[in-house]
Structures are given as structure tokens and as C-alpha cells.
């Protein structure tokens, strides 16, 4: 087996030197036809480790895309995996720890997770770890948004109950949604509806709303204007908060997934949100999956605009952050913070399991199964802990800076080109974070642009719609980014695509 692992390593290493962004159609079809057929006589027979390994290396691996192994896979916001994080991830499988209960006498895992979480609070400039005593690692930003709306639901109903019965001695944990259920708790609190107020909230926010029982229809878009739909209309929010019998969770998109833009324009917006939320018992959840990392860019003129947009996010009640995107740790790694540990335990408590030892000790570390969605959990903290230790603040800042620089240089190429238009509306470069949105001026070319780029296998982009029109969405998120080399490739490729189109349409 030792030898087998060696072969996997060297195979992966050699493939990545020439990694295309997509497998060829032939590689995909070989991989597909190698999958077991339920009618074959060998179906579910033992192939043994050696033959199976050969199958993985010769059939399956070539059918995978280059999202981690190429610096030019710019679809979605995928991130990559730093080599040291990959090592840590292999260690996680080798030791296969179950990080569900805090057992300080038996394993260090929960303490590693908490150390990573505390470093993340500091890294992101959110204040002190004690200000975020509800903290956990999740499977990704979607799971963090589920926790965010779960905690928000608990928070807004709790606030209303507290107002109604300021004399009552019942503690929220016996009265809240987690204990009573949404219907009973809302009846008691005289709440007819809970709404989620946002501007271009990520699709996973609606999914989270469904999962926690609020419903996708509870998500209400309050765009600032047709020109800046990612911006939250604070006047409209204030009006919504005044509705009788309706409780509200404000979900701040930081940033928006098509454009990378921010729902708030600076500290003053967040301060105003905080004060109206407090006045009306609303909850503020920040979805900062990738946008929050703008706070780590150097404090220079170049990045001043982004720093301003991302200012004040620490005023939220709960925050979603993704680790498997810009932080370049492997899937699945999301981060969730909320102010009070009790909010999280009210939602996630795994009660009355006599066979589970209670964590205990005198530390402030809670058993992860009481503050997160899963009971049995992977030691997903190790890769993120490892990246924080290996790169430190400066290394992470340097990596993020390279991503933003490439995105801006590409945006500049698009802006200067006669064939393409930078969106939204000739966006300014100072507003560009890691996402570049653009389209071809020629409608016919625009229709096929994403496919033309992707079938070149030199770079890969995502397709999206902006104002009803097809657009290219390029998201830079991999540590491998080489600004000069990648830029030169994009520049010549874009020029070539436009030139070919002109020639062919004559
Ligand atoms: C990617 C993303 C999500 C969903 O994150 P997953 O890690 O894919 O679960 C949520 N919100 C925003 C803003 C995102 O960019």
C-alpha cells in the first residue's frame, strides 16, 4: 500500500504540471464508461486495492477538472488547496478523529479547532475571541448560513418574548424556537411572520431559509437602486422593521456573488443597521463567504475602497465565512461566528444522550455536537489551522493581494478592449475584488463566449446573467495565481477570440 500511495502522489504531481482546466471529451467519456454497470457480471465483486487503484489513476482521475491544479480555473469561487493544507487533510484521514465531544483528557482535536477559530477572529479583524463565543467550523458557507438563519430565528423570537414578558423568569432556552418549535414560539411571541431582508442574497440564503422553516418566500430583496442592486436599501429596511407582528433578520451580502460588490458602503451603513436592528429587535447576519477577506488586503490607497466597503461587518450578530474558497483549504470548510454561545446551543443542542460523555473541564470549549449541525464530524479544523500556522497573516495577505491584482489587471484589459464591456456598467477598478464580470459587445459573440473560452481548455470561466444578458464571470481564488503569466494568456486569448469571430462573421 505504501507503494500505492507513492504512485498516487507522483501521478497527481505529474498531471498537475500540464493540468488543463477541463478534461477532454474523450477523457470524460472514458471515465464515464469505466463506471460499474449494474447488469455486468462483475457488478459489486471485489476488484481488490491494486486494480481499483489503477482504475482511479487511469480512468477516474483524468476525468476530473483542473480546478485545484490549474491557476486558470476561474469558475464559481472555488479556491484551491495550498500544498501544506493538502498534507494536513491527508493527516485528517489517516487519524480519522471524530470531533464531536470535547474530551480534553483523550485528544487535542477540539482545542486545535478552537485555536483555529480564535485565530480567524483575530485575522478577520472581528475583535476579541470572547466577543464571538458562539463559534464553529461547518461544511461550508451554506451550512454557516443555515446556522446564521437558525440563530437569527432564535434571536428575533427571543427578543420579542423578552419584550412581552420582561417579568417572566423562564429562560430563553426553555422558551425559544429550538425548544418549542417555530409555530409555538411564534404564537407565544405574537409573531405572524419572520422575514429575511437582503440585497442580492446568495442562493444558499433562500435554501437556508427553507431548511430552518422560514421558507424561501421569506427572503425579501431590498435593492438600493436598479443600478446598484447589490446595495441594501437601508431606508426600506427601516420601514420593514416597523411592520407590526413581523420579525426580521437582515442578511448583509458581503460580497455579492456575481459582482463581488458589497451590500453596505462603509462603517456608517453598518452602524445605522446596528442601531435600527437594536431598536426593533432584528438580527444582523453577514454572509461574508469570500468578501470578508477584503479586510486582509494591505492598508494602501489601492485597496482603500474595498476596506471601506468591508468596514463595520464586525457589528453583526452572526457571520458566515468560507475557508474552502479564498483561504485555499480543501473542501469542506466553512466558518460560523455568533455573539453568544447560548444562541448556538439553543439551536443545536444534542440533548439527553446518556452514552455521550459530557465534555466538561473548566475550559470555554463546547462540545462541537452542541454548537453545530452534525454530531460525528471530520477533523476539518486541521487544514485551516495548518494554513494559519504556515502562512500567517502576512502570507495570507500576500496570497489574497495576488488574486485581487490579477482580477484588476484582467478587468483593465476588458475595460480597454474594443470588443468587450466590463460589468456592471463599466465598473471602476477600485471596486474590483476577486470577481470580473464582463460581456462581448457583439451579441452573437456574447452568446458563445463562455463556451469558446472554456473549450479552449486554457482557461475556465463561469457563465451568468447580468440584467437579463449573458455574461462571463471570472473569479480568481487560487493560490497558484501568477499575475503576469495568467494575464498575458487572458489578454491574447480574448483578442484572438474577438478576431476569429470577426473573420468568421464576414
Ligand atoms: C459560495 C457562497 C456561498 C455558499 O457557500 P458554499 O461554501 O458553497 O456552501 C454562500 N454565500 C456566498 C456569498 C458565497 O459566495
Amino acid at each position: 500500500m505504501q507503494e500505492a500511495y507513492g504512485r498516487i502522489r507522483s501521478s497527481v504531481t505529474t498531471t498537475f504540471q500540464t493540468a488543463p482546466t477541463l478534461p477532454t471529451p474523450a477523457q470524460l467519456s472514458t471515465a464515464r464508461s469505466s463506471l460499474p454497470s449494474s447488469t455486468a457480471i462483475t457488478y459489486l465483486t471485489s476488484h481488490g486495492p491494486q486494480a481499483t487503484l489503477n482504475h482511479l489513476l487511469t480512468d477516474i482521475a483524468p476525468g476530473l477538472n483542473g480546478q485545484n491544479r490549474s491557476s486558470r480555473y476561474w469558475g464559481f469561487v472555488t479556491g484551491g488547496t495550498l500544498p501544506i493544507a493538502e498534507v494536513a487533510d491527508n493527516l485528517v484521514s489517516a487519524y480519522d478523529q471524530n470531533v464531536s465531544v470535547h474530551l480534553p483528557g483523550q485528544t487535542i482535536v477540539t482545542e486545535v479547532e478552537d485555536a483555529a477559530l480564535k485565530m480567524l477572529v483575530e485575522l478577520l479583524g472581528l475583535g476579541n475571541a470572547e466577543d464571538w463565543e458562539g463559534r464553529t467550523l461547518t461544511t461550508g458557507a451554506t451550512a454557516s448560513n443555515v446556522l446564521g438563519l437558525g440563530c437569527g430565528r432564535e434571536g428575533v423570537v427571543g427578543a420579542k418574548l423578552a419584550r412581552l414578558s420582561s417579568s417572566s423568569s423562564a429562560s430563553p432556552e426553555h422558551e425559544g424556537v429550538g425548544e418549542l418549535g417555530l409555530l409555538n414560539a411564534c404564537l407565544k411571541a405574537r409573531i405572524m411572520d419572520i422575514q429575511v431582508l437582503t440585497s442580492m442574497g446568495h442562493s444558499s440564503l433562500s435554501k437556508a431559509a427553507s431548511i430552518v422553516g422560514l421558507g424561501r418566500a421569506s427572503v425579501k430583496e431590498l435593492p438600493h437602486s436598479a443600478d446598484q442592486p447589490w446595495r441594501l436599501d437601508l431606508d426600506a429596511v427601516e420601514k420593514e422593521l416597523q411592520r407590526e407582528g413581523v420579525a426580521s433578520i437582515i442578511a448583509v451580502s458581503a460580497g455579492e456573488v456575481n459582482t463581488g460588490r458589497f451590500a453596505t458602503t462603509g462603517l456608517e451603513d453598518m452602524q445605522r443597521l446596528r442601531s435600527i436592528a437594536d431598536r426593533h429587535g432584528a438580527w444582523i447576519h453577514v454572509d461574508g463567504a469570500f468578501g470578508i477577506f477584503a479586510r486582509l488586503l494591505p492598508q494602501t490607497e489601492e485597496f482603500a475602497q474595498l476596506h471601506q466597503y468591508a468596514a463595520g461587518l464586525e457589528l453583526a450578530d452572526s457571520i458566515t465565512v468560507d475557508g474552502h474558497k479564498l483561504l485555499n483549504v480543501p473542501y469542506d470548510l466553512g466558518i460560523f461566528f455568533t455573539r453568544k454561545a447560548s444562541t448556538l446551543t439553543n439551536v443545536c443542542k444534542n440533548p439527553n444522550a446518556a452514552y455521550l460523555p459530557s465534555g466538561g473541564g473548566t475550559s470555554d470549549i463546547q462540545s462541537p455536537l452542541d454548537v453545530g449541525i452534525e454530531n460525528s464530524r471530520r477533523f476539518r479544523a486541521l487544514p485551516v489551522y495548518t494554513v494559519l500556522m504556515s502562512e500567517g497573516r502576512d502570507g495570507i495577505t500576500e496570497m489574497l493581494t495576488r488574486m485581487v491584482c490579477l482580477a484588476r489587471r484582467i478587468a483593465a484589459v476588458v475595460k480597454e478592449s474594443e470588443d468587450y464591456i466590463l460589468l456592471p456598467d463599466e465598473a471602476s477598478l477600485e471596486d474590483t475584488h476577486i470577481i470580473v464580470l464582463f460581456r462581448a459587445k457583439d451579441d452573437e459573440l456574447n452568446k458563445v463566449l463562455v463556451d469558446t473560452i472554456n473549450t479552449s481548455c486554457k482557461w475556465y470561466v463561469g457563465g451568468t446573467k447580468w440584467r437579463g444578458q449573458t455574461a462571463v464571470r471570472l473569479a480568481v481564488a487560487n493560490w497558484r495565481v501568477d499575475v503576469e503569466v495568467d494575464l498575458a494568456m487572458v489578454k491574447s486569448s480574448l483578442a484572438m477570440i474577438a478576431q476569429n469571430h470577426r473573420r468568421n462573421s464576414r
Side-chain angles (χ1 to χ4, degrees), residues 152-175:
R153 187 189 67 175
E154 204 70 38
V156 295
V157 174
K160 194 74 193 297
L161 283 172
R163 272 173 202 217
L164 286 177
S165 61
S166 44
S167 56
S168 157
S169 57
S171 67
E173 91 193 63
H174 295 116
E175 285 222 316

Side-chain angles (χ1 to χ4, degrees), residues 359-418:
T362 51
S363 82
D364 59 350
I365 297 179
Q366 285 175 297
S367 282
L369 88 175
D370 283 326
V371 293
I373 294 171
E374 312 97 339
N375 277 11
S376 296
R377 287 162 91 242
R378 185 175 171 78
F379 187 20
R380 61 174 71 103
L382 195 63
V384 65
Y385 173 85
T386 303
V387 165
L388 294 165
M389 293 300 286
S390 161
E391 307 306 302
R393 191 193 293 278
D394 289 350
I396 292 169
T397 291
E398 187 275 332
M399 173 175 76
L400 296 168
T401 306
R402 256 186 303 130
M403 294 173 190
V404 179
C405 284
L406 179 63
R408 287 181 175 186
R409 299 276 299 274
I410 293 175
V413 164
V414 170
K415 217 172 148 90
E416 286 154 18
S417 149
E418 286 174 5

Side-chain angles (χ1 to χ4, degrees), residues 140-143 145 202 204 255 257 287 289-290 322 324-325:
T142 301
N145 282 341
H202 189 267
S204 63
V257 81
D287 182 355
F290 64 91
D322 241 328
H324 53 216
K325 288 180 180 167

Side-chain angles (χ1 to χ4, degrees), residues 321-366:
V321 184
D322 241 328
H324 53 216
K325 288 180 180 167
L326 297 201
L327 214 46
N328 275 250
V329 300
Y331 293 105
D332 316 53
L333 199 277
I335 300 149
F336 180 73
F337 297 116
T338 188
R339 295 280 169 193
K340 288 193 265 169
S342 59
T343 317
L344 210 40
T345 42
N346 286 344
V347 176
C348 295
K349 184 146 197 67
N350 185 70
N352 309 327
Y355 70 97
L356 290 172
S358 63
T362 51
S363 82
D364 59 350
I365 297 179
Q366 285 175 297

Side-chain angles (χ1 to χ4, degrees), residues 430-444:
E430 295 80 56
D431 283 345
T432 302
H433 184 201
I434 52 121
I435 294 179
V436 186
L437 188 70
F438 66 96
R439 63 182 235 95
K441 283 185 185 165
D442 182 300
D443 285 338
E444 291 309 307

Side-chain angles (χ1 to χ4, degrees), residues 298-322:
Q299 294 283 355
T300 57
E301 190 58 33
E302 212 182 342
F303 303 115
Q305 191 66 65
L306 288 180
H307 275 290
Q308 191 190 317
Y309 292 149
L313 299 180
E314 70 282 357
L315 298 175
D317 295 295
S318 59
I319 303 182
T320 284
V321 184
D322 241 328

